[in-house]
Amino acid sequence: MLPNSPRLLYLLHLIAVAPLTLSAPPLDPTGTVPDCGCYRATGDKDALFVGHQFYDFRNLNNETVGSDLSPPPLINASQDRGIEPITSPFFDKAIFGGYFTAANWLKNASEDAPISMVNSQQNVYLDSPTHLTLRTNRLPNFQSTSNIESIENDYFHASIRIRARVNGAAGACAGMFTYFSDKQESDIEILTRDGHSTMRATNQPGVDMEGKVIPEASTQATVTGDSNGANGSWTEWNEYQLDWLPGHSEWFVNGVSNTNKSYGVPTEPSNFQIKMWSDGSAWTGNMTVGGVATLDIEWIDLVYNRSSDKAEQPCKTVCKIDNIANDPTPKVASAATGTSVQMGTVLSLIVTAFWMATALLA
């Protein structure tokens, strides 16, 4: 029996979290589209993922939604507890409510964030032509905000794409991010105080223990246009993408990479959140009373792995998910050379760990 040493326990922990190599097979010779065994990200062509979720808010109708497609009234000064109900039966249906929940938590004001935040489900709604909207508006004594988060909290590396636009008053932050803790978080953020061609790509923490800004944490990146009419402004529809891989984060706009980071890459299983908020801090700015800002979303696409996934045989079919705006159906990948997916080759890791343990315990 091996000794129960801290070094050995750490090595056994490495076995549980280290990446698994998954070999991609040749293309299906018939040219058909069989069931996808795994999916390829558009950034790192070698990164493969075993899960796929696609949420399409386009082309919904009153029957599907179960309510009118129109914005609900703005939160007023008396609605300061976040107890408003959902705005549509759609948000309780399995198609949405089985995967996401709208938050109603409150955050008190502080020295660094002088405006209290109150999340309300009334700020999450469907509008016409159909898209999902998250809203924030400023009241005299608080900021009414919105936040949806995935019920799944075990995403462990992913490629996340969102087609979105942001409009409204200065002093808001539209955030799309993975989250485990304030120090294990990877963000796509749009600040309405910034110029319309600026987005923020951030891995947390953004400040050190003394409150000093960590320069490599956040990058001001450019919102690039595309051939589909996006003009390089976050007020127009753009496709935002975050690739979270082992030791590497990469951000894209309209398929163009604009930021890479090795700093602060999350190492813990996380959930996925979308948030429209402000707290009067130096980061968001302080929205003028009466101000309103919105984050509109046409679709959300995730390919992902989970820390709870078990080691599998090499997947039989590698699929790609490109051109979502026109055709979201996964297609067989044009090449099958992908090799890396976060799950681990258990046998090789056990052998490696055994020899490392032998060396350390000798």
Side-chain angles (χ1 to χ4, degrees), residues 76-219:
N76 62 49
S78 67
Q79 295 174 300
D80 59 358
R81 293 184 293 162
I83 59 174
E84 295 74 36
I86 58 173
T87 56
S88 167
F90 174 84
F91 296 115
D92 263 346
K93 292 183 177 181
I95 192 173
F96 183 89
Y99 299 93
F100 286 96
T101 183
N104 60 359
W105 49 263
L106 287 64
K107 190 184 95 168
N108 293 328
S110 66
E111 182 178 352
D112 294 330
I115 306 301
S116 297
M117 283 172 45
V118 180
N119 279 300
S120 172
Q121 295 181 118
Q122 189 167 309
N123 287 326
V124 179
Y125 57 91
L126 295 167
D127 205 351
S128 181
T130 52
H131 57 264
L132 175 68
T133 295
L134 277 72
R135 184 176 64 190
T136 183
N137 67 293
R138 178 74 151 84
L139 286 306
N141 296 320
F142 67 96
Q143 185 85 27
S144 181
T145 54
S146 50
N147 185 178
I148 64 171
E149 58 184 78
S150 66
I151 293 172
E152 175 67 72
N153 61 5
D154 194 28
Y155 295 124
F156 196 42
H157 305 128
S159 179
I160 300 166
R161 285 181 283 183
I162 303 169
R163 184 165 170 82
R165 67 184 179 190
V166 177
N167 284 283
C173 177
M176 298 156 272
F177 55 101
T178 64
Y179 184 82
F180 173 79
S181 70
D182 290 346
K183 295 183 178 180
Q184 292 275 325
E185 177 181 342
S186 193
D187 303 296
I188 301 168
E189 291 177 301
I190 294 168
L191 301 174
T192 56
R193 63 180 175 84
D194 279 343
H196 289 179
S197 63
T198 299
M199 60 166 278
R200 308 294 183 111
T202 305
N203 277 345
Q204 302 293 346
V207 295
D208 62 20
M209 297 294 291
E210 298 178 351
K212 296 178 180 177
V213 172
I214 300 172
E216 59 267 39
S218 187
T219 299

Side-chain angles (χ1 to χ4, degrees), residues 220-278:
Q220 290 192 35
T222 300
V223 177
T224 52
D226 69 2
S227 59
N228 294 321
N231 62 6
S233 169
W234 41 254
T235 63
E236 304 294 333
W237 292 109
N238 294 284
E239 181 181 315
Y240 299 94
Q241 178 178 339
L242 167 62
D243 283 4
W244 167 29
L245 303 172
H248 175 75
S249 299
E250 187 168 3
W251 288 257
F252 303 76
V253 179
N254 297 318
V256 178
S257 174
N258 63 22
T259 309
N260 286 272
K261 290 186 184 295
S262 57
Y263 166 82
V265 179
T267 57
E268 296 288 345
S270 302
N271 71 5
F272 171 62
Q273 300 190 32
I274 302 174
K275 188 174 178 181
M276 195 64 179
W277 64 286
S278 177

Side-chain angles (χ1 to χ4, degrees), residues 309-323:
D309 288 330
K310 305 300 181 182
E312 301 283 351
Q313 297 297 318
C315 67
K316 295 180 180 180
T317 307
V318 180
C319 291
K320 62 180 180 179
I321 311 163
D322 293 329
N323 196 25

